Amino acid sequence: MILIPQKLFGDPRVSILLRDGNVCILQKELHEPVLNREGYISNHVISILLSGVQHIKTYEEQQIHVKAGQVLFIPRGLYAISDLLPQKGPFQSLLFYFDDDLIQEFLSQTKIKDISRKSVPSHLLFPMHPNLELFSQSLLDIYSGKAFQDKKFLRLKILELMFLLNAAMDEQQFANFLFQLSLPQKRNIRPFMEKNFDKPLKIEDYAYLTGRSLSTFRRDFKAYFDQTPQRWIKEKRMEKAMKVLRNREMSVTELAYEVGYENISYFIKEFKQKYGQSPKQYMLGQHRNRLR
C-alpha cells in the first residue's frame, strides 16, 4: 500500500525542503509522465502546481483537474489515483503535508470566532495569488540547498502559507474548511466497501476512511454484512480473483495486485484454502481445458 507522503521520502524525483516526521515541505519534479499512481494520503496536503497538469480520481469517482498556477488543498484520508503530466517542460510542484495540530494552531490565531458545522467542499482548488508565487519562489531559493534545512522553520512556513491562503479567499469559508478537516467524516460502509474491497488496505485503513474508530468500524460492519470485515474482504477478493482468471490471462503477481494483495505468498495461500489449488495450478488446468 502506497502511503503518502511516506513513500515520497525515498523518491529521487522528490526533494525534501523541510521535514519533521510526516509533516514536511517537498518539491517534486518529473520529466516523464507518471500514470495511475495509486495512494492513500495520510496527512492533509496543500499542493502548489508550478508547471504541468495533474488529474486525480478519488475512490468516490470524483475527478479533480489541476493546472499550472493553481493551488489544491485536500484532506488526509483520501484514496486516489493520479496522473502527473509534464507540459512544455517538467512537472513541478510544491507539497505541504501537515497534521491537525497545525490546523488548530492556525484557527486559534484567526479572527474567526464562530465556525459553521455545515457541509463544506471535499477539497479547495483556486488560482495562485501573486503573494503565493513570491512565497513559493522564496521557499525554493532559501531551502532547496542542503545547507539550510533547519526543521524549526517548518511549522512556521506552513502557517505562513495558511495565512496567505486565508488572505486570498473568504476567511469564513477557509476557516470552515479547516475546521471540518479535523472532524471524522462518516461514510456509508456498504457502498464504500463494495467499491473498495480490492484496494490494498488494512482493516484500520478502512475504519479511518469511513470515519470510524476500529472498534466502531468492526461493530458497524457486522451489522451491515453479518460477518467480520476480514472474512468478508477475503471472500470478495477470492471471488474477484476467480472471475478474473476465467476471463483473462495474467501472472499470479498481477492477479494478486489486481484483487488487493501486496503479499503474493499470502494471496496464494488464501486462494489455495478457498479453491483447493494454487492460482498457477488453476491457470494450467484452464489452459489444458482450452487445448482439448
Side-chain angles (χ1 to χ4, degrees), residues 170-187:
D170 179 84
E171 288 188 24
Q172 185 69 56
Q173 180 191 8
F174 191 61
N176 290 344
F177 181 78
L178 287 175
F179 177 74
Q180 291 289 337
L181 292 191
S182 62
L183 298 177
Q185 297 180 17
K186 273 200 171 184
R187 293 184 171 91

Side-chain angles (χ1 to χ4, degrees), residues 232-254:
W232 184 88
I233 290 169
K234 175 184 174 180
E235 288 296 316
K236 293 290 286 185
R237 288 177 175 177
M238 289 299 105
E239 287 173 10
K240 180 174 179 179
M242 182 59 71
K243 184 177 180 180
V244 170
L245 283 178
R246 286 171 177 164
N247 292 280
R248 279 189 283 155
E249 290 188 9
M250 59 170 56
S251 70
V252 174
T253 298
E254 289 172 328

Side-chain angles (χ1 to χ4, degrees), residues 68-81:
Q70 288 186 313
V71 180
L72 176 65
F73 192 160
I74 53 178
R76 60 179 164 80
L78 183 73
Y79 192 93
I81 301 172

Side-chain angles (χ1 to χ4, degrees), residues 45-280:
V45 59
I46 298 172
S47 170
I48 299 178
L49 190 52
L50 303 174
S51 60
V53 175
Q54 182 173 12
H55 302 301
I56 301 171
K57 186 172 87 170
T58 73
Y59 49 73
E60 293 176 331
E61 302 299 325
Q62 185 179 22
Q63 303 279 346
I64 305 173
H65 303 288
V66 191
K67 299 182 293 186
Q70 288 186 313
V71 180
L72 176 65
F73 192 160
I74 53 178
R76 60 179 164 80
L78 183 73
Y79 192 93
I81 301 172
S82 295
D83 292 337
L84 311 176
L85 308 171
Q87 273 196 349
K88 299 178 181 178
F91 174 98
Q92 293 180 308
S93 65
L94 280 172
L95 301 165
F96 302 79
Y97 290 92
F98 53 95
D99 52 24
D100 289 342
D101 289 343
L102 265 168
I103 290 177
Q104 295 303 328
E105 188 173 349
F106 171 81
L107 289 174
S108 70
Q109 297 179 45
T110 64
K111 299 176 183 178
I112 301 295
K113 300 303 179 185
D114 296 320
I115 301 293
S116 171
R117 292 176 179 268
K118 294 181 180 179
S119 62
V120 298
S122 60
H123 65 278
L124 295 177
L125 179 63
F126 41 87
M128 184 157 35
H129 190 274
N131 285 341
L132 285 176
E133 293 184 34
L134 294 173
F135 171 79
S136 301
Q137 191 56 56
S138 67
L139 196 69
L140 291 170
D141 290 342
I142 296 171
Y143 298 100
S144 286
K146 298 291 183 183
F148 194 67
Q149 290 190 332
D150 193 331
K151 67 181 182 182
K152 69 184 179 185
F153 293 104
L154 171 60
R155 302 183 86 84
L156 292 174
K157 299 311 291 185
I158 295 177
L159 281 171
E160 181 182 354
L161 172 62
M162 288 185 184
F163 278 105
L164 288 171
L165 292 174
N166 190 55
M169 62 187 301
D170 179 84
E171 288 188 24
Q172 185 69 56
Q173 180 191 8
F174 191 61
N176 290 344
F177 181 78
L178 287 175
F179 177 74
Q180 291 289 337
L181 292 191
S182 62
L183 298 177
Q185 297 180 17
K186 273 200 171 184
R187 293 184 171 91
N188 189 303
I189 285 182
R190 183 177 292 278
F192 181 85
M193 294 304 299
E194 292 284 358
K195 187 176 291 184
N196 294 285
F197 69 85
D198 56 356
K199 302 293 191 300
L201 296 168
K202 299 177 182 177
I203 302 302
E204 293 85 349
D205 297 325
Y206 284 115
Y208 180 80
L209 287 169
T210 56
R212 292 164 171 82
S213 68
L214 182 57
S215 59
T216 302
F217 176 78
R218 291 184 189 278
R219 185 186 67 236
D220 290 353
F221 191 99
K222 188 80 179 292
Y224 275 109
F225 295 102
D226 197 31
Q227 58 182 312
T228 65
Q230 289 90 338
R231 177 169 293 184
W232 184 88
I233 290 169
K234 175 184 174 180
E235 288 296 316
K236 293 290 286 185
R237 288 177 175 177
M238 289 299 105
E239 287 173 10
K240 180 174 179 179
M242 182 59 71
K243 184 177 180 180
V244 170
L245 283 178
R246 286 171 177 164
N247 292 280
R248 279 189 283 155
E249 290 188 9
M250 59 170 56
S251 70
V252 174
T253 298
E254 289 172 328
L255 179 62
Y257 290 148
E258 175 98 0
V259 299
Y261 287 88
E262 293 183 309
N263 185 322
I264 312 305
S265 298
Y266 186 64
F267 165 69
I268 294 171
K269 178 183 175 182
E270 296 267 272
F271 190 97
K272 192 168 184 178
Q273 284 180 348
K274 173 69 175 176
Y275 297 112
Q277 56 185 325
S278 69
K280 190 68 175 177

